Amino acid sequence: MSRRRGIMSDKLKEEIAKELGFYDVVQHEGWGGIKSRDAGNMVKRAIEIAQQQLTQRQ
């Protein structure tokens, strides 16, 4: 069984988790320990960052 590669790098995920204040949970419990709300906020923030980068390139 193959495993899908993630779109976000581990570094980016860690930076966003730190910014949103739940990185301590990731350190102690892993990514499976975060709340679904935190995961959703992390995706939302990643999209915002990507949109900002696209805007700056144009």
Side-chain angles (χ1 to χ4, degrees), residues 6-16 31 42:
I7 294 174
M8 289 194 299
S9 70
D10 288 337
K11 181 179 178 183
L12 177 60
K13 289 192 289 189
E14 290 173 2
E15 288 176 12
I16 293 172
W31 290 106
M42 186 170 68

Side-chain angles (χ1 to χ4, degrees), residues 2-54:
S2 67
R3 184 176 175 150
R4 285 182 32 190
R5 291 187 56 160
I7 294 174
M8 289 194 299
S9 70
D10 288 337
K11 181 179 178 183
L12 177 60
K13 289 192 289 189
E14 290 173 2
E15 288 176 12
I16 293 172
K18 288 175 186 175
E19 179 181 327
L20 297 177
F22 59 86
Y23 185 67
D24 57 330
V25 174
V26 174
Q27 286 181 311
H28 295 296
E29 300 178 32
W31 290 106
I34 66 173
K35 297 176 185 175
S36 58
R37 175 178 281 164
D38 290 335
N41 288 336
M42 186 170 68
V43 171
K44 181 179 177 182
R45 181 64 182 126
I47 291 169
E48 290 171 352
I49 291 169
Q51 288 175 332
Q52 289 172 355
Q53 289 175 348
L54 285 174

